[in-house]
Amino acid sequence: MDGFTYTNIFATKGIEYLAIIGFFLLLVPFWMLLTRKSKTSGQEQLTGRLITASTLRIPHGIFFSKFHSWAYLEKNGAAKVGLDDLLLHLTGEVSITHLKQPGEKVQKGEWLTQINHNGKSLRIFSPISGEIKQMNELLAEEPGLMREDPYRQGWMYQIKPSNWKADTNAHFLAEDASNWAAQELSRFKDFLSASVMKHLPDPSQVVLQDGGELVDHPLAELPPEVWHDFQENFLT
């Protein structure tokens, strides 16, 4: 037929179009996979920043006091004491000020040390009575040890107990300690709601995620008034 020209698209631009289409067909599934992985990674990171009963470290053999300090009796008869994992998750990174020195005596429930965070502080009560034998000097140089490894390298004092059995009779051990920590986590949420409503004119929910889970270090950015409430109404 006059004026009619047949063009083979596979011999001209058609090959390029098909290549582009094929590229996108491969790219879309790959992009969806990357997006799914990115979302999963973000969710995992978020979960890692939450405080839940299942994420708290509760080693067996450790005696936990209601003051959120712990004691562990060593084979030589001395006891290491320190801060429990829940308290350190609530406060965030802290430094320590020693209130007792080697050779001094301390009674169970007496102020033993002070922890500090950006000008705010909490006094910590001793879980046992006895004579101070040693302070953990590493904490002055590496205060992060308390949070990273609270039950081994992050201990605060070594104390020679004067009445170990009676002092630890009401402490929490093993499964009882895990159940108590879960109850304390719930009690802290109630405390936090009341204290924040009292001291902040425009309370925000930044310390809680959807579902009421606590974000790690909820006390860190809260004002001294909340820390004072925490000392008086939670740690005593």
Side-chain angles (χ1 to χ4, degrees):
M1 297 176 59
D2 294 338
F4 176 79
T5 304
Y6 172 77
T7 303
N8 186 347
I9 65 169
F10 293 100
T12 56
K13 294 291 184 179
I15 296 295
E16 297 179 12
Y17 296 150
L18 290 175
I20 293 172
I21 292 171
F23 172 75
F24 279 105
L25 288 174
L26 290 174
L27 178 62
V28 170
F30 180 66
W31 178 258
M32 291 176 66
L33 179 62
L34 285 180
T35 303
R36 188 181 302 119
K37 286 184 177 180
S38 177
K39 289 181 179 179
T40 301
S41 176
Q43 290 171 349
E44 289 174 351
Q45 291 176 3
L46 179 60
T47 302
R49 296 199 303 268
L50 300 181
I51 313 173
T52 65
S54 62
T55 61
L56 295 176
R57 291 169 286 184
I58 312 289
H60 285 201
I62 301 286
F63 288 83
F64 292 85
S65 79
K66 65 177 184 178
F67 311 123
H68 290 275
S69 55
W70 56 264
Y72 174 74
L73 189 63
E74 299 181 297
K75 292 180 180 180
N76 61 6
K80 294 276 182 66
V81 303
L83 302 178
D84 73 15
D85 193 38
L86 174 57
L87 181 58
L88 292 166
H89 271 291
L90 297 179
T91 59
E93 199 74 37
V94 292
S95 61
I96 185 171
T97 301
H98 292 291
L99 302 179
K100 294 288 184 179
Q101 302 296 320
E104 292 187 63
K105 300 274 181 78
V106 65
Q107 295 297 314
K108 175 185 176 182
E110 185 180 354
W111 282 337
L112 179 63
T113 189
Q114 178 174 291
I115 56 174
N116 314 289
H117 176 85
N118 292 341
K120 297 166 288 193
S121 63
L122 295 170
R123 291 198 172 190
I124 304 301
F125 303 102
S126 179
I128 58 172
S129 302
E131 180 183 344
I132 305 293
K133 303 301 292 183
Q134 185 181 357
M135 300 183 302
N136 188 352
E137 302 290 354
L138 283 177
L139 297 185
E141 301 175 2
E142 300 181 62
L145 285 176
M146 283 189 291
R147 175 154 165 70
E148 294 166 12
D149 193 7
Y151 305 110
R152 290 186 296 180
Q153 298 186 73
W155 58 275
M156 298 186 303
Y157 284 97
Q158 185 185 66
I159 298 176
K160 182 180 180 181
S162 58
N163 201 1
W164 172 263
K165 187 174 181 179
D167 284 345
T168 58
N169 185 54
H171 288 356
F172 303 95
L173 186 67
E175 186 176 347
D176 287 340
S178 296
N179 294 335
W180 169 75
Q183 293 169 4
E184 287 293 273
L185 191 55
S186 178
R187 185 167 75 95
F188 177 78
K189 292 177 185 178
D190 293 337
F191 156 80
L192 191 62
S193 297
S195 187
V196 166
M197 287 293 291
K198 182 169 61 173
H199 294 295
L200 297 184
D202 183 22
S204 81
Q205 297 301 313
V206 294
V207 295
L208 291 173
Q209 283 292 329
D210 292 341
E213 297 294 353
L214 280 169
V215 175
D216 215 7
H217 315 155
L219 288 173
E221 302 305 322
L222 292 176
E225 293 83 0
V226 177
W227 282 61
H228 180 267
D229 274 3
F230 182 72
Q231 177 81 75
E232 297 298 319
N233 302 317
F234 196 89
L235 288 185
T236 56

